[in-house]
Amino acid sequence: MSHIALTASATATVVAFHRGAKQWSALFPRSMGTNQPSLFANSPRKRLQLRFLATGKNGGNGGVAEEISETEKAQTNFVWPDNKKPRVCILGGGFGGLYTALRLESLEWPDDKKPQIALVDQSDRFVFKPMLYELLSGEVDEWEIAPRFSDLLANTSVQFLKDRVKLLHPSDHWGMNGSKASTCGGTVHLESGLHIEYDWLVLALGAESKVDVVPGAAEFAIPFSTLEDARKVNNRLTTLERKTFGKDLQISVAIVGCGYSGVELAATVAERLQNRGIVRAINVETMICPNAPPGNREAALKVLSSRKVELLLGYFVRCIRRVSELESSDTLTGVDENCIEIGHDFEKYILELQPAERGMQSKIIEADLVLWTVGSKPPLPQLESSDVPFVIPLNARGQAETDETLRVKGHPRIFALGDSSALRDSNGRILPATAQVAFQQADFTGWNLWAAINGRPLLPFRFQNLGEMMTLGRNDAAISPSFVEGLTLEGPIGHTARKIAYLIRLPSDEHRLKVGISWLTKSAIDSVSSLQSTLSKVFSGS
């Protein structure tokens, strides 16, 4: 277990900082002593300080530390409507953060105990990530699975702030000021210069795609985990489709990873391209979805086979590079002869594959588009520990260690859930970072905040696996419910069941109603169109 700690100096100048520190590894200030100036102390002198972006993937400085002056950016304090009521700050507006806020809103509170809630996220939209694949297939509209926070929270007392976390200043750690609890839980410093003083803090910052493990991946591969990623992939596919329209050319897509995300992406892209493209899925394991129920895996294999997806199992990507002008597909050994050079206005990439086992030959494949679905990293810090008694416990992946009530160990006023939490099940295994886990943890976090504020005992979290679902195309999916052993719903039935399950899980009643009407309308239109097509074929044949 590693720990995040504060160092003794607040005025040290850092010349260089490793790029990997862009996580919220730099969220913690370097001074907590009462006699030393803090990172935000007012002073006429212009001392140099460090600025770290906790979530610097989209914009910002990419996580590199910058030297900034203390007076560079004005800092203001967030004003809560009522200083007498509990103040809850939730960092992250994904499944864990947003659903915790909505859970707190739904509970019955004494008049003087109803908390004020501030929700902070770097995006202005909540993203229902399990349905990002439907954006590529055109089955859903963006507003259906990525509504704005302002719309979702319009009828609540939750205050939404579009901003990024820069620093945390917790003051609730055991033993500080001679007490294990304090009147204030701490302060959150945002990139805009806003400071939020809180009584209770919820860490639900999610995770970022880990694309920097292979040379060339960060430069040439596109991850698929955010709305921006889905837009980028859709735009790239649309561009390729337009440039190859009416030509005898094939679009080559390489997908790295054959877990749930990689398989769902391969099935969706292959269905979209049909006979206009070649989809290859690469996996270091010798099977797809190794942790999936057998029924889901078998259903996925049938769909991938029917859509002629080439599975390169037992290989890992050694590097990715752009094809130079001197190279062509016919001079590369191991490149499929059906992959044709499209033209100088297309960027093409080379993936060098290394076998994971002996007895297999290395491969080199060419692709117009490389999609990356392997690995993720929570936005937590990796600073050197110090002798200061205040520490945040982390596991090897950078997740906060929590007790069974989802409170961070040693911090009674901080809760962590989702990708930010390292909670273990009864067998000692860390719970998977899935939407299902985040849904359930948000419910418990909301309840335990209610209990803590009202002086009631907190409930231990127990994950209940309800089953696993995966999309396999516009009218295809696979579902293996846990309550019926061996049962797998696939094809149109599985597709309908999956959409109903996710419709129920959408954030608000109003949004569920709007999306439900939209999906029913689309389904009716598709049914009428299918009937017309069938009748046209019948009459033309007769």
Side-chain angles (χ1 to χ4, degrees), residues 76-91 116-118 120 159 161 167-171 182-190 193-201 413:
T76 58
N77 292 325
F78 177 73
V79 179
W80 295 93
D82 190 340
N83 289 329
K84 296 182 179 179
K85 292 185 177 181
R87 301 163 299 179
V88 178
C89 180
I90 301 175
L91 303 181
Q116 305 161 94
I117 305 169
V120 182
Q159 300 180 75
L161 294 89
L167 294 170
L168 292 182
H169 238 305
S171 58
S182 61
T183 56
C184 173
T187 306
V188 174
H189 298 176
L190 302 181
L194 190 66
H195 295 182
I196 303 178
E197 191 175 83
Y198 64 84
D199 298 312
W200 305 90
L201 180 66
R413 289 179 176 266

Side-chain angles (χ1 to χ4, degrees), residues 40-57:
F40 291 92
N42 293 322
S43 170
R45 293 182 299 163
K46 294 183 66 177
R47 293 189 299 271
L48 290 179
Q49 300 173 341
L50 293 182
R51 170 168 57 203
F52 298 97
L53 300 190
T55 49
K57 178 186 174 188

Side-chain angles (χ1 to χ4, degrees), residues 133-141 234 272 474 522:
Y133 312 95
E134 278 84 339
L135 284 180
L136 300 184
S137 64
E139 190 175 351
V140 302
D141 296 322
N234 186 61
R272 171 169 170 166
R474 283 188 64 92
K522 291 176 183 177

